[in-house]
Amino acid sequence: MKALQYRAIGQAPEVVTVPDPEPGPGQVLLKVTAAGVCHSDIAVMSWPGENFPYPLPLTLGHEGAGTVAALGAGVTGISLGESVAVYGPWGCGNCVKCAQGKENYCLRAAGLGIHPPGLGAPGAIAEYLVVDAARHLVPLGDLDPVASVPLTDAGLTPYHAIKRSLPKLVPGTSAVVIGSGGLGHVAIQLLRALTATRVIVLDVSEEKLELARRVGAHETVLSDAGAAEKVRALTGGLGAEAVFDFVGAPPTTATAAAVVAVEGDVTLVGIGGGTLPVGFGSPPFEVSVTAPYWGSRSELIEVLDLAREGFVEVHVETYGLDDAPLAYERLHAGKVNGRAVILPNG
Ligand code: NAD
Ligand code: ZN
Ligand code: ZN
């Protein structure tokens, strides 16, 4: 089969032919209908060779959807041909976090060498994908796999982040979204669907801010040195009760600290190397700062249900498998508006 692989440190990913995979006991083989392209892959491909955490070559793609093509020995409860989305942060299935559905925080995955598809295990940007266990599959039913596949990360990750802050986002409050890309433009819709908060969005690109307004932002602000002051003014000088930073670089974590309100939440989702020091007086009193990873299995089911009810619509641009390297080039250059989705069998 054809697959998109990151083969050598610092090189662009390539479409190559690899042996057709077969599901082992307990595993499920999917014929991939759609696979999303996440900015985290760009970060992974910029890491140096020393201590690179995954074996190379690595088939990319940690957002996957497909139809069930074959069942490994012992797999029950899922049918051939069924349309499914893949829960990506695979865990052991047995520890206390996994028992709560929080396989993203599995206590044993690292020790057992369990990795998400595309982030250690062979990923979804290929004609076929082997999924470790049937519990990682969520039936899509009538949902369009192309529009839904980004919800497995670009939907699930902001959903998990926003859920933490829901009690603070009562009417009359403000929420700031920094970075209106793949994750950010879904975050805006989730905030509009789940809260009555006023949504203020920052980005460096006018085109991304235009998308932000189209999907429900109340206010948009160009993310520059004057942005924090503008957000403060938009919130009557008080700041925002929740700030979601989908960039996480030094200038944006500084902006986050500067625009959060007393007793607010800052959630650093982006992995741009920024930090937010916490001490007396800065950020404002009783601000809570966190940096989460992905979300739980039940939260993925909830996000897909929100999409089914029409509350979330991912803005996608599609590519054939041969053009997958181009999708990464465009994402790296900041040219993808919404999410790039690869159709390996399309
Ligand atoms: P993306 O490229 O689609 O979106 C990033 C957006 O940020 C773009 O619209 C870009 O114009 C904007 N941006 C860049 N610099 C900015 C700045 N200084 N101020 C404001 N906006 C700026 O990326 P994505 O796939 O949505 O991923 C977003 C981030 O989240 C990445 O760092 C990614 O690695 C990370 N991520 C983290 C998790 C997690 O579990 N923590 C999961 C998925 C992605
Ligand atoms: Zn991702
Ligand atoms: Zn576990």
Side-chain angles (χ1 to χ4, degrees):
M1 67 165 185
K2 285 204 277 189
L4 181 76
Q5 290 196 327
Y6 179 52
R7 298 182 60 81
I9 299 295
Q11 306 267 299
E14 284 175 63
V15 179
V16 295
T17 300
V18 298
D20 287 348
E22 278 177 32
Q27 296 181 322
V28 178
L29 182 73
L30 298 184
K31 183 172 184 182
V32 178
T33 45
V37 176
C38 179
H39 210 118
S40 295
D41 292 341
I42 308 263
V44 166
M45 290 188 281
S46 76
W47 291 342
E50 314 86 68
N51 304 323
F52 188 80
Y54 315 130
L56 293 181
L58 170 69
T59 298
L60 293 169
H62 55 269
E63 289 182 348
T67 53
V68 177
L71 302 176
V75 176
T76 55
I78 191 123
S79 321
L80 286 176
E82 201 168 341
S83 173
V84 293
V86 179
Y87 174 75
W90 300 345
C92 73
N94 294 316
C95 73
V96 68
K97 300 290 183 194
C98 286
Q100 294 170 339
K102 300 175 188 168
E103 300 210 18
N104 50 324
Y105 298 143
C106 175
L107 303 174
R108 302 202 306 152
L112 292 171
I114 299 171
H115 293 289
L119 295 167
I125 306 182
E127 289 172 87
Y128 290 89
L129 168 71
V130 172
V131 177
D132 250 11
R135 72 173 186 281
H136 299 315
L137 303 175
V138 183
L140 282 174
D142 292 339
L143 273 179
D144 172 17
V146 179
S148 310
V149 72
L151 296 174
T152 61
D153 177 16
L156 174 56
T157 302
Y159 181 74
H160 174 72
I162 289 165
K163 245 186 131 173
R164 171 177 96 101
S165 297
L166 286 181
K168 294 186 182 176
L169 293 177
V170 297
T173 58
S174 302
V176 169
V177 170
I178 305 178
S180 181
L183 274 67
H185 92 288
V186 180
I188 296 163
Q189 299 177 60
L190 294 170
L191 285 164
R192 292 304 309 271
L194 299 170
T195 77
T197 199
R198 194 170 150 81
V199 181
I200 303 170
V201 181
L202 275 58
D203 204 292
V204 286
S205 141
E206 248 325 313
E207 209 188 343
K208 310 286 174 88
L209 292 179
E210 162 60 31
L211 176 62
R213 286 189 289 273
R214 228 182 319 143
V215 299
H218 295 95
E219 307 281 353
T220 54
V221 175
L222 205 59
S223 184
D224 57 18
E229 207 175 313
K230 287 183 191 139
V231 173
R232 283 256 153 212
L234 287 169
T235 56
L238 299 175
E241 281 71 12
V243 181
F244 304 96
D245 183 353
F246 296 104
V247 181
T252 59
T253 56
T255 300
V259 301
V260 66
V262 167
E263 286 191 289
D265 286 344
V266 174
T267 305
L268 305 179
V269 178
I271 60 173
T275 56
L276 199 163
V278 176
F280 189 78
S282 174
F285 297 131
E286 258 189 83
V287 163
S288 145
V289 180
T290 191
Y293 172 63
W294 228 325
S296 71
R297 282 174 55 205
S298 54
E299 286 169 341
L300 176 57
I301 294 170
E302 291 167 27
V303 172
L304 291 169
D305 280 338
L306 269 175
R308 202 166 275 122
E309 296 302 324
F311 288 109
V312 192
E313 215 171 290
V314 183
H315 191 277
V316 295
E317 53 180 61
T318 58
Y319 298 80
L321 185 50
D322 289 332
D323 287 331
L326 176 65
Y328 278 92
E329 268 174 47
R330 280 177 49 82
L331 182 64
H332 192 39
K335 289 186 181 150
V336 172
N337 211 3
R339 199 62 151 180
V341 173
I342 315 296
L343 312 179
N345 288 288

